[in-house]
PDB file of all heavy atoms in Angstrom:
ATOM      1  N   ASP P  44      16.614  -1.415  12.119  1.00  0.00           N
ATOM      2  CA  ASP P  44      15.207  -1.021  12.222  1.00  0.00           C
ATOM      3  C   ASP P  44      14.884   0.094  11.242  1.00  0.00           C
ATOM      4  O   ASP P  44      13.789   0.155  10.682  1.00  0.00           O
ATOM      5  CB  ASP P  44      14.887  -0.591  13.660  1.00  0.00           C
ATOM      6  CG  ASP P  44      15.741   0.585  14.115  1.00  0.00           C
ATOM      7  OD1 ASP P  44      16.948   0.631  13.775  1.00  0.00           O
ATOM      8  OD2 ASP P  44      15.223   1.469  14.822  1.00  0.00           O
ATOM      9  N   VAL P  45      15.860   0.994  11.024  1.00  0.00           N
ATOM     10  CA  VAL P  45      15.651   2.109  10.094  1.00  0.00           C
ATOM     11  C   VAL P  45      15.391   1.588   8.679  1.00  0.00           C
ATOM     12  O   VAL P  45      14.524   2.101   7.960  1.00  0.00           O
ATOM     13  CB  VAL P  45      16.877   3.053  10.112  1.00  0.00           C
ATOM     14  CG1 VAL P  45      16.746   4.136   9.044  1.00  0.00           C
ATOM     15  CG2 VAL P  45      17.039   3.677  11.491  1.00  0.00           C
ATOM     16  N   CYS P  46      16.140   0.556   8.281  1.00  0.00           N
ATOM     17  CA  CYS P  46      15.938  -0.045   6.957  1.00  0.00           C
ATOM     18  C   CYS P  46      14.541  -0.625   6.825  1.00  0.00           C
ATOM     19  O   CYS P  46      13.852  -0.419   5.813  1.00  0.00           O
ATOM     20  CB  CYS P  46      16.999  -1.122   6.738  1.00  0.00           C
ATOM     21  SG  CYS P  46      16.805  -2.073   5.213  1.00  0.00           S
ATOM     22  N   LEU P  47      14.084  -1.354   7.837  1.00  0.00           N
ATOM     23  CA  LEU P  47      12.750  -1.956   7.780  1.00  0.00           C
ATOM     24  C   LEU P  47      11.658  -0.888   7.771  1.00  0.00           C
ATOM     25  O   LEU P  47      10.669  -0.987   7.032  1.00  0.00           O
ATOM     26  CB  LEU P  47      12.563  -2.909   8.970  1.00  0.00           C
ATOM     27  CG  LEU P  47      13.493  -4.125   8.975  1.00  0.00           C
ATOM     28  CD1 LEU P  47      13.339  -4.910  10.272  1.00  0.00           C
ATOM     29  CD2 LEU P  47      13.225  -5.031   7.774  1.00  0.00           C
ATOM     30  N   LYS P  48      11.836   0.157   8.570  1.00  0.00           N
ATOM     31  CA  LYS P  48      10.847   1.241   8.588  1.00  0.00           C
ATOM     32  C   LYS P  48      10.788   1.963   7.242  1.00  0.00           C
ATOM     33  O   LYS P  48       9.724   2.411   6.812  1.00  0.00           O
ATOM     34  CB  LYS P  48      11.160   2.220   9.712  1.00  0.00           C
ATOM     35  CG  LYS P  48      10.879   1.681  11.106  1.00  0.00           C
ATOM     36  CD  LYS P  48      11.293   2.689  12.173  1.00  0.00           C
ATOM     37  CE  LYS P  48      11.017   2.169  13.578  1.00  0.00           C
ATOM     38  NZ  LYS P  48      11.460   3.119  14.622  1.00  0.00           N
ATOM     39  N   ARG P  49      11.951   2.079   6.585  1.00  0.00           N
ATOM     40  CA  ARG P  49      11.979   2.706   5.253  1.00  0.00           C
ATOM     41  C   ARG P  49      11.110   1.932   4.286  1.00  0.00           C
ATOM     42  O   ARG P  49      10.352   2.518   3.495  1.00  0.00           O
ATOM     43  CB  ARG P  49      13.421   2.749   4.753  1.00  0.00           C
ATOM     44  CG  ARG P  49      13.638   3.262   3.326  1.00  0.00           C
ATOM     45  CD  ARG P  49      13.550   4.770   3.270  1.00  0.00           C
ATOM     46  NE  ARG P  49      12.206   5.262   3.078  1.00  0.00           N
ATOM     47  CZ  ARG P  49      11.745   6.430   3.548  1.00  0.00           C
ATOM     48  NH1 ARG P  49      12.514   7.207   4.275  1.00  0.00           N
ATOM     49  NH2 ARG P  49      10.522   6.813   3.305  1.00  0.00           N
ATOM     50  N   LYS P  50      11.192   0.607   4.331  1.00  0.00           N
ATOM     51  CA  LYS P  50      10.405  -0.214   3.428  1.00  0.00           C
ATOM     52  C   LYS P  50       8.910  -0.111   3.756  1.00  0.00           C
ATOM     53  O   LYS P  50       8.066  -0.129   2.844  1.00  0.00           O
ATOM     54  CB  LYS P  50      10.876  -1.672   3.494  1.00  0.00           C
ATOM     55  CG  LYS P  50      12.316  -1.861   3.006  1.00  0.00           C
ATOM     56  CD  LYS P  50      12.745  -3.301   3.064  1.00  0.00           C
ATOM     57  CE  LYS P  50      14.255  -3.441   2.863  1.00  0.00           C
ATOM     58  NZ  LYS P  50      14.730  -2.850   1.610  1.00  0.00           N
ATOM     59  N   ILE P  51       8.578  -0.003   5.040  1.00  0.00           N
ATOM     60  CA  ILE P  51       7.172   0.188   5.423  1.00  0.00           C
ATOM     61  C   ILE P  51       6.673   1.520   4.892  1.00  0.00           C
ATOM     62  O   ILE P  51       5.575   1.609   4.319  1.00  0.00           O
ATOM     63  CB  ILE P  51       7.021   0.117   6.959  1.00  0.00           C
ATOM     64  CG1 ILE P  51       7.310  -1.309   7.454  1.00  0.00           C
ATOM     65  CG2 ILE P  51       5.625   0.549   7.385  1.00  0.00           C
ATOM     66  CD1 ILE P  51       7.416  -1.436   8.959  1.00  0.00           C
ATOM     67  N   ARG P  52       7.463   2.566   5.073  1.00  0.00           N
ATOM     68  CA  ARG P  52       7.072   3.884   4.550  1.00  0.00           C
ATOM     69  C   ARG P  52       6.846   3.843   3.037  1.00  0.00           C
ATOM     70  O   ARG P  52       5.869   4.392   2.518  1.00  0.00           O
ATOM     71  CB  ARG P  52       8.156   4.916   4.875  1.00  0.00           C
ATOM     72  CG  ARG P  52       8.246   5.333   6.333  1.00  0.00           C
ATOM     73  CD  ARG P  52       9.330   6.389   6.504  1.00  0.00           C
ATOM     74  NE  ARG P  52       9.312   6.989   7.823  1.00  0.00           N
ATOM     75  CZ  ARG P  52      10.147   6.679   8.802  1.00  0.00           C
ATOM     76  NH1 ARG P  52      11.074   5.740   8.604  1.00  0.00           N
ATOM     77  NH2 ARG P  52      10.070   7.282   9.975  1.00  0.00           N
ATOM     78  N   ASN P  53       7.785   3.199   2.330  1.00  0.00           N
ATOM     79  CA  ASN P  53       7.662   3.122   0.878  1.00  0.00           C
ATOM     80  C   ASN P  53       6.405   2.377   0.465  1.00  0.00           C
ATOM     81  O   ASN P  53       5.727   2.754  -0.502  1.00  0.00           O
ATOM     82  CB  ASN P  53       8.900   2.435   0.283  1.00  0.00           C
ATOM     83  CG  ASN P  53      10.146   3.297   0.370  1.00  0.00           C
ATOM     84  OD1 ASN P  53      10.081   4.492   0.640  1.00  0.00           O
ATOM     85  ND2 ASN P  53      11.298   2.689   0.133  1.00  0.00           N
ATOM     86  N   TYR P  54       6.084   1.303   1.184  1.00  0.00           N
ATOM     87  CA  TYR P  54       4.877   0.542   0.853  1.00  0.00           C
ATOM     88  C   TYR P  54       3.622   1.389   1.073  1.00  0.00           C
ATOM     89  O   TYR P  54       2.722   1.423   0.232  1.00  0.00           O
ATOM     90  CB  TYR P  54       4.781  -0.734   1.686  1.00  0.00           C
ATOM     91  CG  TYR P  54       3.522  -1.521   1.365  1.00  0.00           C
ATOM     92  CD1 TYR P  54       3.506  -2.418   0.313  1.00  0.00           C
ATOM     93  CD2 TYR P  54       2.347  -1.310   2.084  1.00  0.00           C
ATOM     94  CE1 TYR P  54       2.351  -3.110  -0.021  1.00  0.00           C
ATOM     95  CE2 TYR P  54       1.183  -1.995   1.756  1.00  0.00           C
ATOM     96  CZ  TYR P  54       1.190  -2.894   0.701  1.00  0.00           C
ATOM     97  OH  TYR P  54       0.028  -3.560   0.359  1.00  0.00           O
ATOM     98  N   VAL P  55       3.561   2.073   2.204  1.00  0.00           N
ATOM     99  CA  VAL P  55       2.394   2.917   2.500  1.00  0.00           C
ATOM    100  C   VAL P  55       2.235   3.995   1.435  1.00  0.00           C
ATOM    101  O   VAL P  55       1.117   4.274   0.973  1.00  0.00           O
ATOM    102  CB  VAL P  55       2.515   3.540   3.905  1.00  0.00           C
ATOM    103  CG1 VAL P  55       1.432   4.595   4.132  1.00  0.00           C
ATOM    104  CG2 VAL P  55       2.434   2.460   4.976  1.00  0.00           C
ATOM    105  N   SER P  56       3.351   4.587   1.019  1.00  0.00           N
ATOM    106  CA  SER P  56       3.297   5.613  -0.012  1.00  0.00           C
ATOM    107  C   SER P  56       2.740   5.053  -1.319  1.00  0.00           C
ATOM    108  O   SER P  56       1.919   5.695  -1.984  1.00  0.00           O
ATOM    109  CB  SER P  56       4.694   6.191  -0.235  1.00  0.00           C
ATOM    110  OG  SER P  56       4.671   7.216  -1.204  1.00  0.00           O
ATOM    111  N   LEU P  57       3.164   3.833  -1.684  1.00  0.00           N
ATOM    112  CA  LEU P  57       2.662   3.217  -2.913  1.00  0.00           C
ATOM    113  C   LEU P  57       1.188   2.822  -2.783  1.00  0.00           C
ATOM    114  O   LEU P  57       0.397   3.002  -3.707  1.00  0.00           O
ATOM    115  CB  LEU P  57       3.488   1.969  -3.238  1.00  0.00           C
ATOM    116  CG  LEU P  57       4.893   2.186  -3.798  1.00  0.00           C
ATOM    117  CD1 LEU P  57       5.635   0.855  -3.869  1.00  0.00           C
ATOM    118  CD2 LEU P  57       4.857   2.839  -5.163  1.00  0.00           C
ATOM    119  N   ALA P  58       0.837   2.260  -1.628  1.00  0.00           N
ATOM    120  CA  ALA P  58      -0.518   1.735  -1.452  1.00  0.00           C
ATOM    121  C   ALA P  58      -1.557   2.835  -1.296  1.00  0.00           C
ATOM    122  O   ALA P  58      -2.686   2.704  -1.760  1.00  0.00           O
ATOM    123  CB  ALA P  58      -0.562   0.807  -0.236  1.00  0.00           C
ATOM    124  N   LYS P  59      -1.170   3.932  -0.626  1.00  0.00           N
ATOM    125  CA  LYS P  59      -2.150   4.970  -0.293  1.00  0.00           C
ATOM    126  C   LYS P  59      -2.036   6.228  -1.144  1.00  0.00           C
ATOM    127  O   LYS P  59      -2.986   7.008  -1.222  1.00  0.00           O
ATOM    128  CB  LYS P  59      -2.017   5.344   1.190  1.00  0.00           C
ATOM    129  CG  LYS P  59      -2.464   4.234   2.134  1.00  0.00           C
ATOM    130  CD  LYS P  59      -3.938   3.917   1.941  1.00  0.00           C
ATOM    131  CE  LYS P  59      -4.436   2.875   2.909  1.00  0.00           C
ATOM    132  NZ  LYS P  59      -5.892   2.602   2.746  1.00  0.00           N
ATOM    133  N   GLY P  60      -0.875   6.428  -1.782  1.00  0.00           N
ATOM    134  CA  GLY P  60      -0.728   7.593  -2.648  1.00  0.00           C
ATOM    135  C   GLY P  60      -1.046   8.904  -1.952  1.00  0.00           C
ATOM    136  O   GLY P  60      -0.469   9.224  -0.910  1.00  0.00           O
ATOM    137  N   GLU P  61      -1.980   9.647  -2.502  1.00  0.00           N
ATOM    138  CA  GLU P  61      -2.349  10.960  -1.964  1.00  0.00           C
ATOM    139  C   GLU P  61      -3.528  10.890  -0.990  1.00  0.00           C
ATOM    140  O   GLU P  61      -4.120  11.921  -0.666  1.00  0.00           O
ATOM    141  CB  GLU P  61      -2.707  11.915  -3.120  1.00  0.00           C
ATOM    142  CG  GLU P  61      -1.586  12.129  -4.132  1.00  0.00           C
ATOM    143  CD  GLU P  61      -0.373  12.774  -3.484  1.00  0.00           C
ATOM    144  OE1 GLU P  61      -0.547  13.664  -2.641  1.00  0.00           O
ATOM    145  OE2 GLU P  61       0.753  12.357  -3.843  1.00  0.00           O
ATOM    146  N   THR P  62      -3.862   9.697  -0.519  1.00  0.00           N
ATOM    147  CA  THR P  62      -4.985   9.563   0.415  1.00  0.00           C
ATOM    148  C   THR P  62      -4.727  10.406   1.659  1.00  0.00           C
ATOM    149  O   THR P  62      -3.659  10.297   2.277  1.00  0.00           O
ATOM    150  CB  THR P  62      -5.173   8.094   0.832  1.00  0.00           C
ATOM    151  OG1 THR P  62      -5.313   7.292  -0.343  1.00  0.00           O
ATOM    152  CG2 THR P  62      -6.397   7.929   1.713  1.00  0.00           C
ATOM    153  N   PRO P  63      -5.671  11.263   2.064  1.00  0.00           N
ATOM    154  CA  PRO P  63      -5.464  12.103   3.249  1.00  0.00           C
ATOM    155  C   PRO P  63      -5.122  11.264   4.483  1.00  0.00           C
ATOM    156  O   PRO P  63      -5.683  10.178   4.694  1.00  0.00           O
ATOM    157  CB  PRO P  63      -6.821  12.801   3.415  1.00  0.00           C
ATOM    158  CG  PRO P  63      -7.396  12.840   2.044  1.00  0.00           C
ATOM    159  CD  PRO P  63      -6.948  11.560   1.394  1.00  0.00           C
ATOM    160  N   GLY P  64      -4.163  11.771   5.265  1.00  0.00           N
ATOM    161  CA  GLY P  64      -3.770  11.088   6.481  1.00  0.00           C
ATOM    162  C   GLY P  64      -2.657  10.072   6.279  1.00  0.00           C
ATOM    163  O   GLY P  64      -2.214   9.445   7.246  1.00  0.00           O
ATOM    164  N   HIS P  65      -2.197   9.910   5.041  1.00  0.00           N
ATOM    165  CA  HIS P  65      -1.175   8.897   4.776  1.00  0.00           C
ATOM    166  C   HIS P  65       0.054   9.476   4.081  1.00  0.00           C
ATOM    167  O   HIS P  65       0.800   8.760   3.408  1.00  0.00           O
ATOM    168  CB  HIS P  65      -1.765   7.751   3.953  1.00  0.00           C
ATOM    169  CG  HIS P  65      -2.788   6.964   4.701  1.00  0.00           C
ATOM    170  ND1 HIS P  65      -4.120   7.324   4.738  1.00  0.00           N
ATOM    171  CD2 HIS P  65      -2.685   5.846   5.471  1.00  0.00           C
ATOM    172  CE1 HIS P  65      -4.786   6.463   5.488  1.00  0.00           C
ATOM    173  NE2 HIS P  65      -3.945   5.557   5.942  1.00  0.00           N
ATOM    174  N   ALA P  66       0.276  10.768   4.223  1.00  0.00           N
ATOM    175  CA  ALA P  66       1.526  11.352   3.735  1.00  0.00           C
ATOM    176  C   ALA P  66       2.693  10.773   4.534  1.00  0.00           C
ATOM    177  O   ALA P  66       2.507  10.282   5.651  1.00  0.00           O
ATOM    178  CB  ALA P  66       1.482  12.871   3.874  1.00  0.00           C
ATOM    179  N   ILE P  67       3.872  10.821   3.957  1.00  0.00           N
ATOM    180  CA  ILE P  67       5.073  10.302   4.623  1.00  0.00           C
ATOM    181  C   ILE P  67       5.959  11.486   5.014  1.00  0.00           C
ATOM    182  O   ILE P  67       6.379  12.275   4.158  1.00  0.00           O
ATOM    183  CB  ILE P  67       5.837   9.330   3.716  1.00  0.00           C
ATOM    184  CG1 ILE P  67       4.954   8.117   3.390  1.00  0.00           C
ATOM    185  CG2 ILE P  67       7.134   8.886   4.359  1.00  0.00           C
ATOM    186  CD1 ILE P  67       4.490   7.320   4.600  1.00  0.00           C
ATOM    187  N   TYR P  68       6.216  11.598   6.302  1.00  0.00           N
ATOM    188  CA  TYR P  68       7.037  12.681   6.850  1.00  0.00           C
ATOM    189  C   TYR P  68       8.507  12.502   6.446  1.00  0.00           C
ATOM    190  O   TYR P  68       9.135  13.403   5.906  1.00  0.00           O
ATOM    191  CB  TYR P  68       6.889  12.673   8.376  1.00  0.00           C
ATOM    192  CG  TYR P  68       7.859  13.538   9.137  1.00  0.00           C
ATOM    193  CD1 TYR P  68       7.738  14.924   9.125  1.00  0.00           C
ATOM    194  CD2 TYR P  68       8.867  12.964   9.916  1.00  0.00           C
ATOM    195  CE1 TYR P  68       8.614  15.726   9.853  1.00  0.00           C
ATOM    196  CE2 TYR P  68       9.737  13.751  10.642  1.00  0.00           C
ATOM    197  CZ  TYR P  68       9.607  15.129  10.611  1.00  0.00           C
ATOM    198  OH  TYR P  68      10.474  15.923  11.325  1.00  0.00           O
ATOM    199  N   MET P  69       9.047  11.324   6.701  1.00  0.00           N
ATOM    200  CA  MET P  69      10.447  11.048   6.378  1.00  0.00           C
ATOM    201  C   MET P  69      10.522  10.495   4.959  1.00  0.00           C
ATOM    202  O   MET P  69      10.917   9.359   4.713  1.00  0.00           O
ATOM    203  CB  MET P  69      11.038  10.048   7.376  1.00  0.00           C
ATOM    204  CG  MET P  69      12.561  10.042   7.423  1.00  0.00           C
ATOM    205  SD  MET P  69      13.292  11.578   8.010  1.00  0.00           S
ATOM    206  CE  MET P  69      12.832  11.567   9.744  1.00  0.00           C
ATOM    207  N   ALA P  70      10.093  11.316   4.008  1.00  0.00           N
ATOM    208  CA  ALA P  70      10.081  10.917   2.600  1.00  0.00           C
ATOM    209  C   ALA P  70      11.426  11.205   1.955  1.00  0.00           C
ATOM    210  O   ALA P  70      12.207  12.022   2.452  1.00  0.00           O
ATOM    211  CB  ALA P  70       8.975  11.662   1.856  1.00  0.00           C
ATOM    212  N   GLU P  71      11.702  10.537   0.851  1.00  0.00           N
ATOM    213  CA  GLU P  71      12.949  10.759   0.136  1.00  0.00           C
ATOM    214  C   GLU P  71      13.038  12.224  -0.317  1.00  0.00           C
ATOM    215  O   GLU P  71      12.091  12.781  -0.884  1.00  0.00           O
ATOM    216  CB  GLU P  71      13.027   9.833  -1.084  1.00  0.00           C
ATOM    217  CG  GLU P  71      14.356   9.909  -1.817  1.00  0.00           C
ATOM    218  CD  GLU P  71      14.446   8.932  -2.980  1.00  0.00           C
ATOM    219  OE1 GLU P  71      13.493   8.140  -3.159  1.00  0.00           O
ATOM    220  OE2 GLU P  71      15.463   8.954  -3.689  1.00  0.00           O
ATOM    221  N   LYS P  72      14.146  12.856  -0.016  1.00  0.00           N
ATOM    222  CA  LYS P  72      14.446  14.245  -0.385  1.00  0.00           C
ATOM    223  C   LYS P  72      13.538  15.253   0.320  1.00  0.00           C
ATOM    224  O   LYS P  72      13.441  16.413  -0.099  1.00  0.00           O
ATOM    225  CB  LYS P  72      14.360  14.439  -1.900  1.00  0.00           C
ATOM    226  CG  LYS P  72      15.372  13.595  -2.675  1.00  0.00           C
ATOM    227  CD  LYS P  72      15.276  13.833  -4.173  1.00  0.00           C
ATOM    228  CE  LYS P  72      16.292  12.968  -4.916  1.00  0.00           C
ATOM    229  NZ  LYS P  72      16.207  13.147  -6.387  1.00  0.00           N
ATOM    230  N   ALA P  73      12.862  14.836   1.375  1.00  0.00           N
ATOM    231  CA  ALA P  73      12.004  15.767   2.113  1.00  0.00           C
ATOM    232  C   ALA P  73      12.856  16.801   2.850  1.00  0.00           C
ATOM    233  O   ALA P  73      13.984  16.537   3.251  1.00  0.00           O
ATOM    234  CB  ALA P  73      11.138  15.005   3.110  1.00  0.00           C
ATOM    235  N   VAL P  74      12.305  17.996   3.018  1.00  0.00           N
ATOM    236  CA  VAL P  74      12.911  19.038   3.844  1.00  0.00           C
ATOM    237  C   VAL P  74      12.049  19.134   5.104  1.00  0.00           C
ATOM    238  O   VAL P  74      10.917  19.610   5.061  1.00  0.00           O
ATOM    239  CB  VAL P  74      12.953  20.396   3.115  1.00  0.00           C
ATOM    240  CG1 VAL P  74      13.564  21.472   4.006  1.00  0.00           C
ATOM    241  CG2 VAL P  74      13.737  20.270   1.805  1.00  0.00           C
TER     242      VAL P  74
END
Side-chain angles (χ1 to χ4, degrees):
D44 60 321
V45 174
C46 175
L47 295 173
K48 288 177 180 178
R49 175 78 272 149
K50 296 180 192 304
I51 293 170
R52 288 182 170 102
N53 289 346
Y54 179 86
V55 171
S56 182
L57 286 172
K59 291 298 183 178
E61 301 298 321
T62 306
H65 293 86
I67 298 300
Y68 169 73
M69 199 65 69
E71 185 177 356
K72 298 181 180 179
V74 179

